[in-house]
Amino acid sequence: MTPESAVDPEAPANGHSGRVVISVDAMGGDRGPAAVIAGMALSAARNPEIEFIVHGPEAMVSELVGRRPALSGRCTIRDAAGVVTMEDKPSQVMRHGEGTSMWSAIESVRAGEATVAVSCGNTGALMALSVIRLRRLPGINRPAIACLWPSRNPGGFNVMLDVGADIRAEATDLLQYAMMGASYARNGLGIARPRVGLLNVGTEEHKGRAELKQAHELLEASAGAGNFAYVGFVEGSDLPSERVDVIVTDGFTGNIALKTGEGTARLVGDFLREAFNHGILSRFAALLALGSLRRLRGRIDPRRVNGGVFLGLNGTIVKSHGSADETGVSAAIKLAFRLARSGFRDRLAARVASVLQAGQDDAGKSNEADGNPTA
Amino acid sequence: MTPESAVDPEAPANGHSGRVVISVDAMGGDRGPAAVIAGMALSAARNPEIEFIVHGPEAMVSELVGRRPALSGRCTIRDAAGVVTMEDKPSQVMRHGEGTSMWSAIESVRAGEATVAVSCGNTGALMALSVIRLRRLPGINRPAIACLWPSRNPGGFNVMLDVGADIRAEATDLLQYAMMGASYARNGLGIARPRVGLLNVGTEEHKGRAELKQAHELLEASAGAGNFAYVGFVEGSDLPSERVDVIVTDGFTGNIALKTGEGTARLVGDFLREAFNHGILSRFAALLALGSLRRLRGRIDPRRVNGGVFLGLNGTIVKSHGSADETGVSAAIKLAFRLARSGFRDRLAARVASVLQAGQDDAGKSNEADGNPTA
């Protein structure tokens, strides 16, 4: 595949010029299908180019869809009676998951009806099903989950991966994460040449585990071919930093960091609320400060950063928070739309292939396979 | 040593009944010796039982001490011309560190003049020097650094360890961290039977790396002998939780989590400030809300939680933040005082010995070696 052919090749396949089809798993979230379909309606009202294939028990789903005028004529329903619960073990879902809404949502991507699927369900099961049904991109050893992190950068977000697809990563996996994360930042966030950092316990070159020192060398050597700038080691305090766009780490560390950040933000938010509930003057101040507090909430609202993206597969899966409400679901759908529209999957595949090629030929050469189209 | 003899055995050795001597490294912090000595003066003014041995270039230190009436007659100065900088490599300091203020501060603990030392200097160098000069407690394989974490618990803090003494930990190390952390929580925070959790990417038993599954078994079996309650796996979001007091993890993960939490709190604080600087009404509201915002700051102020504690050595070292101002230094000294006063070192040694013994005899038995004295 030449780089040029990678530009938005999915659109014609959908049979709707200018339209983008997103596959949605209606089930498995903590708030049930009503929140998911409300989120779809929100997105549909805002974005005239979006269409859905929605998966779940037909009677229930069609009733919920029928109540939303925004979805009228823009939603295909696929009956799937089974539901993957948060308690189901991934290994079990892999064996017995056929017929569930999650399986069916992935199947739409596999069949090429959609290039991105969205689910609020069980992360482990979703990853396991995605890997066996979609399979890894050629050259990718471990798929990864990328999340968005509130940051001081102009765009407001940094990318971190892996945040939990796998609990270990070798140096070569970390290099693949860097390429995938950079490609995601280009196509999902519009950053032409993302700055990539490697998460470590210090920024000095002698610090950290052996695989990190190896990865440090690999990233330095591959930055040109991967079309990213390598900024070296970064620390936990740099996750929101403006000196980096993509933070690369193993899935164990990334998952702990993600949940630590979420937990800390929630704690500070709770303390803030308590501080403003302390006496009548504070409550009056809080009323006056309402605009400011809303602005603050808008910047750190976890619903705005909703959507972990599974990278490294033949198809893109957006994992929404299990507890997502309609705002959260709509944010995940927006991200899915943007990635589908950019032709992300094929660009990423071309980029991985080109870096593998460059690794074999000459690590210094670069091409623009997944840069923004110039046309 | 019997458990009873472990109760505050240092006080008579100081030659001052009721007085506690703290060894302080005046140099190596980002703000220089003036901030350290100002912090000592703050502590001395508040606490009539505290005395200091302070280490640094004599002329400079004695001039700074002379300006502080609160320190008059309560401060012995030890001349040490050399300074360990933040850039010095631990391996170099180990070879050439003799004659530095850091070395000298540790030496006071080694000689029994003080049981706890405080330093704002280079963490890696401080740990390396502490290990070679004080040596490990019998039965301890890897020393650890414990930090305090703002929490929803009534005391306001949880303990997390290791946050960076070592980048790896086996299952048996994690068990030792649990014992040391529980002992620290009893003696430093006054929690009679601390609840210990093991940091992982999920709370289900099948999750995580192999050494975590092993440690899970070990902690379950040793909770009785260690005088703690084991609550199982906890996640990053549980670090401030009220269902746990002590969080155990390896030093790589702990360091990333610590810095991620600090970075997130700082980001939210910056966003809050920006939100309140947005227009005249917001600024007016901020004025009214000043009390509330101060209360909030008091709860998440990193200076209040200043002081990582090195555990597992023949002597206790409190590592203050390099950037600590006088408030931060004083908080670290307060923690050092509390640990020295409780006879923490000997209690911890007795506890480790008793658990080792229990492991050999019968893991089910327990004694109260480092519980609070009932007298």
Side-chain angles (χ1 to χ4, degrees):
Chain A
M1 179 179 296
T2 67
E4 285 66 28
S5 75
V7 178
D8 214 7
E10 293 81 11
N14 293 334
H16 297 274
S17 156
R19 300 232 146 180
V20 171
V21 179
I22 306 294
S23 172
V24 178
D25 174 9
M27 311 303 289
D30 300 341
R31 296 171 190 249
V36 174
I37 286 161
M40 287 165 51
L42 256 184
S43 289
R46 286 178 193 153
N47 183 343
E49 295 181 306
I50 206 164
E51 292 196 358
F52 299 102
I53 305 173
V54 57
H55 307 260
E58 185 156 21
M60 184 195 284
V61 171
S62 84
E63 202 215 314
L64 288 166
V65 167
R67 286 195 218 145
R68 303 282 175 175
L71 292 175
S72 164
R74 295 169 65 183
C75 206
T76 308
I77 299 170
R78 288 283 154 76
D79 185 40
V83 175
V84 176
T85 71
M86 291 295 180
E87 288 69 40
D88 288 337
K89 289 199 179 176
S91 54
Q92 289 225 310
V93 176
M94 277 166 78
R95 281 195 298 274
H96 309 294
E98 201 168 347
T100 62
S101 60
M102 187 182 277
W103 179 291
S104 182
I106 295 168
E107 219 51 28
S108 279
V109 175
R110 187 167 188 253
E113 298 176 302
T115 54
V116 184
V118 175
S119 175
C120 300
N122 184 325
T123 307
L126 185 61
M127 180 50 94
L129 280 187
S130 300
V131 171
I132 57 163
R133 298 306 292 164
L134 301 179
R135 305 207 167 270
R136 294 174 180 82
L137 277 179
I140 293 293
N141 181 35
R142 293 185 208 270
I145 306 178
C147 76
L148 294 176
W149 194 278
S151 98
R152 296 188 168 86
N153 274 317
F157 298 109
N158 290 347
V159 172
M160 178 165 71
L161 76 167
D162 173 30
V163 297
D166 208 322
I167 53 171
R168 61 186 71 76
E170 308 300 320
T172 48
D173 299 320
L174 294 170
L175 170 61
Q176 296 186 346
Y177 294 172
M179 296 187 316
M180 296 195 294
S183 192
Y184 173 38
R186 273 191 297 273
N187 292 288
L189 303 180
I191 300 167
R193 191 155 177 270
R195 295 158 303 169
V196 174
L198 194 54
L199 189 60
N200 198 351
V201 293
T203 54
E204 302 89 346
E205 296 209 358
H206 64 276
K207 289 215 170 176
R209 295 170 168 159
E211 71 268 25
L212 284 174
K213 290 173 205 169
Q214 283 173 39
H216 182 70
E217 309 280 321
L218 283 177
L219 264 70
E220 226 157 27
S222 309
N227 194 20
F228 60 81
Y230 177 56
V231 302
F233 290 136
V234 298
E235 301 185 78
S237 49
D238 292 321
L239 296 180
S241 166
E242 68 269 67
R243 73 182 191 87
V244 66
D245 301 299
V246 177
I247 294 107
V248 168
T249 186
D250 67 274
F252 184 89
T253 309
N255 185 273
I256 301 276
L258 173 64
K259 289 176 182 165
T260 298
E262 287 176 347
T264 306
R266 210 176 303 126
L267 184 78
V268 175
D270 290 352
F271 283 180
L272 185 64
R273 208 165 301 120
E274 287 171 30
F276 274 111
N277 268 326
H278 195 275
I280 194 107
L281 186 66
S282 294
R283 269 179 233 165
F284 181 57
L287 265 181
L288 275 180
L290 217 55
S292 304
L293 294 175
R294 277 215 194 97
R295 249 189 314 278
L296 172 68
R297 177 189 288 250
R299 294 183 76 172
I300 59 167
D301 186 350
R303 296 179 306 173
R304 276 187 67 218
V305 294
N306 190 34
V309 179
F310 294 1
L311 301 173
L313 302 169
N314 288 301
T316 305
I317 307 291
V318 175
K319 165 65 178 75
S320 170
H321 253 296
S323 60
D325 60 7
E326 59 184 271
T327 308
V329 171
S330 177
I333 290 171
K334 184 178 173 187
L335 179 60
F337 175 85
R338 201 183 289 175
L339 292 171
R341 162 58 33 112
S342 72
F344 174 60
R345 178 184 68 179
D346 293 344
R347 283 162 185 256
L348 175 55
R351 169 64 61 182
V352 171
S354 82
V355 174
L356 285 174
Q357 190 60 38
Q360 284 159 12
D361 302 351
D362 164 17
K365 272 192 197 165
S366 165
N367 72 47
E368 297 298 310
D370 70 334
N372 288 316
T374 48
Chain B
M1 178 178 297
T2 67
E4 284 68 27
S5 75
V7 177
D8 215 6
E10 293 82 11
N14 292 336
H16 297 274
S17 154
R19 299 231 147 182
V20 171
V21 179
I22 306 294
S23 173
V24 178
D25 173 10
M27 311 303 290
D30 301 340
R31 295 170 191 250
V36 174
I37 286 161
M40 288 165 52
L42 256 184
S43 290
R46 284 178 193 154
N47 183 343
E49 295 180 306
I50 207 164
E51 291 195 0
F52 299 103
I53 305 173
V54 57
H55 308 259
E58 184 156 22
M60 185 196 284
V61 172
S62 83
E63 203 216 312
L64 288 166
V65 168
R67 287 195 217 145
R68 302 282 176 176
L71 293 175
S72 165
R74 296 170 65 183
C75 206
T76 307
I77 299 170
R78 288 282 154 76
D79 184 42
V83 175
V84 175
T85 70
M86 291 295 181
E87 288 69 39
D88 287 338
K89 289 199 180 177
S91 54
Q92 290 225 308
V93 176
M94 278 167 76
R95 282 194 297 275
H96 310 294
E98 203 168 346
T100 61
S101 60
M102 186 182 277
W103 179 291
S104 182
I106 295 167
E107 219 52 27
S108 279
V109 174
R110 187 168 187 251
E113 299 176 301
T115 54
V116 184
V118 175
S119 174
C120 300
N122 183 323
T123 307
L126 186 61
M127 180 48 94
L129 280 188
S130 300
V131 171
I132 57 162
R133 298 305 293 163
L134 302 179
R135 303 207 167 272
R136 293 175 180 80
L137 278 179
I140 293 293
N141 180 35
R142 292 185 209 269
I145 305 177
C147 76
L148 294 175
W149 194 278
S151 98
R152 295 187 169 87
N153 274 315
F157 297 110
N158 290 347
V159 173
M160 178 166 71
L161 77 168
D162 173 30
V163 297
D166 208 322
I167 52 171
R168 60 187 72 75
E170 308 299 321
T172 49
D173 299 320
L174 294 170
L175 170 61
Q176 297 186 346
Y177 295 172
M179 297 188 316
M180 298 195 291
S183 192
Y184 173 38
R186 274 192 296 272
N187 292 287
L189 302 180
I191 300 167
R193 190 154 179 273
R195 295 158 301 169
V196 174
L198 195 54
L199 189 60
N200 198 351
V201 294
T203 54
E204 303 89 347
E205 296 209 358
H206 64 276
K207 287 214 171 177
R209 294 167 168 161
E211 72 268 25
L212 283 173
K213 289 174 206 169
Q214 283 172 39
H216 182 70
E217 310 279 322
L218 284 176
L219 264 69
E220 226 157 27
S222 309
N227 194 21
F228 60 80
Y230 178 55
V231 302
F233 290 135
V234 297
E235 302 185 78
S237 49
D238 292 320
L239 296 180
S241 165
E242 70 270 64
R243 74 182 191 89
V244 66
D245 301 300
V246 177
I247 295 105
V248 169
T249 186
D250 67 274
F252 184 89
T253 310
N255 185 272
I256 301 276
L258 173 64
K259 289 176 180 165
T260 298
E262 288 177 346
T264 306
R266 210 176 303 126
L267 183 78
V268 175
D270 289 352
F271 283 180
L272 186 63
R273 207 164 303 120
E274 286 171 32
F276 273 110
N277 268 326
H278 194 275
I280 194 106
L281 185 66
S282 295
R283 271 178 230 164
F284 180 57
L287 265 182
L288 275 180
L290 217 55
S292 304
L293 294 175
R294 276 214 196 98
R295 248 188 316 278
L296 173 68
R297 177 189 287 251
R299 293 183 77 172
I300 59 167
D301 187 351
R303 296 179 306 172
R304 277 187 66 220
V305 294
N306 190 32
V309 178
F310 294 2
L311 301 172
L313 303 169
N314 289 301
T316 305
I317 307 291
V318 174
K319 167 62 178 77
S320 170
H321 252 296
S323 61
D325 61 6
E326 59 185 271
T327 307
V329 171
S330 177
I333 290 171
K334 184 178 173 188
L335 178 60
F337 175 84
R338 200 182 289 175
L339 291 171
R341 163 58 31 114
S342 72
F344 173 60
R345 180 185 65 180
D346 293 344
R347 283 163 186 253
L348 175 55
R351 170 64 61 186
V352 170
S354 83
V355 174
L356 286 174
Q357 191 59 38
Q360 283 158 14
D361 302 350
D362 164 17
K365 272 192 197 164
S366 166
N367 71 47
E368 296 299 310
D370 69 333
N372 287 316
T374 48

